Structures are given as C-alpha cells and as structure tokens.
Amino acid sequence: MGISTINHFRNLFNDVGVDRIFVKILASKQDNDKNQIVLASQLEGLINAFPVRETRLREPSSSTKKRKSAAGRPITEAHLNYFWLDQNGNRYHAPDTKLIEYFQYPEARLSGFIKGCEWAPAAIRRTKQAAFGKRILGIGANRAGEIFGLLLSERDDRLVSEFPELAPSGISGVLGILNVTGDTTATPQEQLTGELRAIVAAGWHASVRNKGGTLVPFKGNQGAGYTLEALLGVETNALKEPDAYGHEIKSFRGNKISLMTPTADMGAEGDLTFRDFMMTYGWDGKKDDGSRRFTGVHRAGKPSTSTRYQLEVSGLDLKSGEFSDKPDEIFVGITDPELGTFIGG
DNA sequence: ATAATAGTTTTCCACCACAG
DNA sequence: CTGTGGTGGAAAACTATTAT
C-alpha cells in the first residue's frame, strides 16, 4: 500500500511520459479544493513548464469596487489538460483545471481540479486533509501536452517522510524539480543541451517528422525543424506549447526566425471576417489570377515601401529594453499611418 | 572595513465573503 | 455546500543606514 520509494514515484510519472516533475510540499492548512494551490507569483514560468491549452483574459471589471484593485488589468486564466494519477497509475481527467493569475498580489494558483473529475485524492479536500499529515504534490507534463498530478501523503505513503532534497525549479520558491530519468537534479537546460549534443554528435540525419510516434520521411521547408523535433521525441504539432523540457525548439537557416505565428485578434483583422479583411487591406496578387495578398516585411517605426503600412511597438523602452509596467500598453500591431487606421495587433 | 540595526519588499500561508 | 476571487499578515530576504 502506498508509495514508499522515490523510484516508484518517478516510475508512475515515467509511465505517462513525464520527464520532469515539479514538486510542492503543500501547506498544512492550505492547498486544497477550497484554498487554491499557490504555485508561483506569476504565470510566466509556469506556462513554460506546463503546456497551456488556452489562456483567457477575464474582464477586469470584477474587482473595481475593491479598494486595492489596479483597475484595467484582467485576471488571466490558463487552462490545463490535467489528470490526477492514483497510486496505481490510473489517470482521471479533471477538465476544469486551470492556473489563475491574480496579478495584484501577485500570485498564480492552481484551481478547478475537482470539478467534473471522476476521482481526486482525498487528501486534497479541505475537510479531510488534516488526517493525512504532510502532503507532497508532484505535477508534470508529457510531450503530448498532458499534465499529471500525483499527491502523496504522510499517512499513506512512506516516501513522504524521506522525500529527497530537491533542486530549485527556477519558477518559484515553492516548486522544486525532480527529473524522472537520469540525474535527479540536472536542470532542464542541462538535459536539453545534453540531448542536442548527442544529436549533433551523431552526424547528418535524414529529413523526417514524427507523426503519431513514428518517424516518417518528410520533404519540405519545415524539414529542419521537424527533424530536430522528431529526434528529440516531439510529435509535429501546431500547438503553442513548448516542445521539450519547457523550451520551444527552433531551428533556422538564413537570418530570419519566427518565434511565434501571430494572427491578430485586435483591430480590423480581428473585427472583420478573413474575406472582408483581405478585400479591404490586401491587394491583388501579381500573377493576376484573382488572388489577394497581405504579406511583406514590416519594420517598426517606418512605413513599408510596398504597402505603406507600418509596424508599431509600444510599451517597450527601446533604450533600456524594459517593458512598461502597464500591461495594456505592451503591444505590437500594424497601422496605416496615412489613414490612421489600425489594421491588426 | 565590518558589524549591527533598521527599513523595505517579496514570498508564502491563512483565512474569508459570497455567488451559484 | 463548493469553488472563486479576494484580504491580511508573518516571516524571510534584501537594502540601506548607522555604529564600531
């Protein structure tokens, strides 16, 4: 009964494809179904560690009557594809699990992990937690973007009383890190660079992609990136999730690199349908085949010679490299400086 | 220069009002 | 009742200031 060794604990995570476990020693009267689990002071680092399905900004209105609220900044919710693991390795989906950032404190907490879930550990419930003594929560994500949580308790799991010292996660003081394979204390960067070195040392590789777990030949521009991901064991995906060890893998040749694929949700591009947008702001393709184009390199502060449009960056001090502390000022968008219209951002 | 002390900020825990 | 969105505060961790 119970989990008594660290290897048993690691194996349960290994079985679901997790390679790094984040560990929090839970507070004795906190961290339950009612008092959300505090993980960090900001979402930022957590989002790298735990792939997020969807982030939503909540309307800032909710708290304007409260004295302290810095009106205007919305509470951010990051939805997770979360599962509870039991000690036998069974998984139970908790579909409503999310990270909520309360910026004004600041605090990021895990919440909603009971709702709609078939089974959850009794020790996470406020009314029962006292009986379990010390509790330790392990959370980890696999490369398919699934996140698993396993709760140990002093009462049921011998491991709790002899839990090893943990390497700091770098995300917050409460979260430690435990590697599932190899050295328990190597940092994610070390693991990743280790794997990259091994891949480089192996010489040239054929262009492939990882499709549903198997490597298939691939021809095309994205080949370099796909191949690298595949060799790292990452399936080709268009998810906006980090690829491995909490890092997004990028490869490039030439001198341009895209860190993200943006689709504007503000301005005209957000308001209009795709067709309307292209008809209004695009132009005819040169081939005269009826196509419409909206393309081109746009640089901040000076209009593009071909389109007249201009990229605007605000909320970033170009001299100091510091971002504005007012989040709604931080912004990248395209405008038409002649007409003063806001095309997208 | 170093140690002692005071002041400030950050981190984390405890608890609660209230809506559904 | 449960879960969300909040508050307050202790303690730790920094910084600044003053005494030795």
Side-chain angles (χ1 to χ4, degrees):
Chain A
M1 263 326 205
I3 294 166
S4 51
T5 67
I6 191 74
N7 279 334
H8 188 179
F9 184 67
R10 291 161 82 187
N11 284 339
L12 286 169
F13 278 97
N14 194 34
D15 290 345
V16 290
V18 172
D19 49 31
R20 285 181 307 158
I21 312 168
F22 290 89
V23 175
K24 181 184 182 186
I25 318 268
L26 298 188
S28 60
K29 296 190 178 171
Q30 276 283 105
D31 297 336
N32 51 47
D33 52 351
K34 180 174 167 62
N35 308 112
Q36 300 145 323
I37 300 175
V38 177
L39 292 181
S41 53
Q42 323 122 129
L43 269 184
E44 216 180 335
L46 291 172
I47 281 177
N48 281 339
F50 306 119
V52 166
R53 257 196 308 196
E54 177 199 4
T55 55
R56 265 216 304 271
L57 298 183
R58 242 180 268 166
E59 281 310 305
S61 62
S62 64
S63 66
T64 33
K65 31 190 140 56
K66 300 285 187 330
R67 300 182 298 282
K68 240 183 155 180
S69 66
R73 183 161 173 188
I75 288 173
T76 313
E77 283 184 4
H79 288 254
L80 302 178
N81 192 202
Y82 186 87
F83 299 81
W84 283 111
L85 284 180
D86 69 14
Q87 57 168 348
N88 300 315
N90 299 312
R91 52 163 83 182
Y92 305 90
H93 194 211
D96 214 46
T97 307
K98 52 197 170 285
L99 295 165
I100 304 178
E101 177 172 41
Y102 300 94
F103 56 88
Q104 65 269 53
Y105 302 119
E107 234 162 53
R109 309 181 191 174
L110 185 68
S111 181
F113 43 76
I114 299 276
K115 198 168 174 185
C117 183
E118 218 176 292
W119 177 89
I124 203 71
R125 311 206 91 109
R126 184 173 114 274
T127 48
K128 311 237 173 75
Q129 69 184 124
F132 288 87
K134 186 174 175 185
R135 299 169 302 146
I136 296 180
L137 176 67
I139 309 181
N142 67 15
R143 290 176 181 186
E146 297 166 324
I147 297 159
F148 296 92
L150 177 59
L151 186 64
L152 302 173
S153 74
E154 192 177 359
R155 192 191 79 178
D156 293 344
D157 305 290
R158 199 137 46 83
L159 171 59
V160 168
S161 47
E162 54 202 45
F163 208 83
E165 192 76 12
L166 290 165
S169 65
I171 295 175
S172 79
V174 283
L175 285 180
I177 204 165
L178 177 71
N179 289 317
V180 168
T181 50
D183 185 357
T184 43
T185 54
T187 66
Q189 283 92 330
E190 285 162 2
Q191 290 222 321
L192 183 56
T193 39
E195 285 192 33
L196 287 173
R197 269 182 221 290
I199 289 169
V200 171
W204 293 99
H205 297 274
S207 179
V208 292
R209 64 184 290 192
N210 182 337
K211 217 178 173 184
T214 48
L215 299 184
V216 296
F218 178 82
K219 281 182 191 163
N221 275 327
Q222 317 97 301
Y226 281 164
T227 303
L228 182 56
E229 287 189 351
L231 294 171
L232 287 166
V234 182
E235 278 182 41
T236 303
N237 65 61
L239 303 175
K240 44 185 172 186
E241 292 173 353
D243 294 321
Y245 301 116
H247 294 263
E248 175 72 16
I249 310 295
K250 283 290 161 196
S251 69
F252 60 97
R253 38 187 186 173
N255 56 7
K256 294 192 180 69
I257 180 166
S258 54
L259 295 177
M260 56 178 186
T261 308
T263 306
D265 46 18
M266 294 166 66
E269 190 176 352
D271 296 339
L272 300 177
T273 64
F274 180 71
R275 179 170 292 272
D276 289 347
F277 174 77
M278 291 304 284
M279 293 317 283
T280 314
Y281 293 95
W283 50 92
D284 285 330
K286 285 209 177 90
K287 281 190 194 158
D288 205 22
D289 55 0
S291 65
R292 293 286 284 184
R293 302 298 164 119
F294 181 79
T295 56
V297 176
H298 291 73
R299 295 177 202 281
K302 65 171 96 138
S304 155
T305 45
S306 54
T307 68
R308 313 186 316 276
Y309 301 151
Q310 176 174 324
L311 186 72
E312 303 282 353
V313 177
S314 72
L316 173 68
D317 186 329
L318 294 174
K319 288 214 179 73
S320 65
E322 303 235 329
F323 287 100
S324 160
D325 50 1
K326 294 186 110 185
D328 33 341
E329 283 179 7
I330 300 174
F331 168 78
V332 176
I334 286 191
T335 58
D336 183 336
E338 282 170 35
L339 301 176
T341 44
F342 176 28
I343 299 173

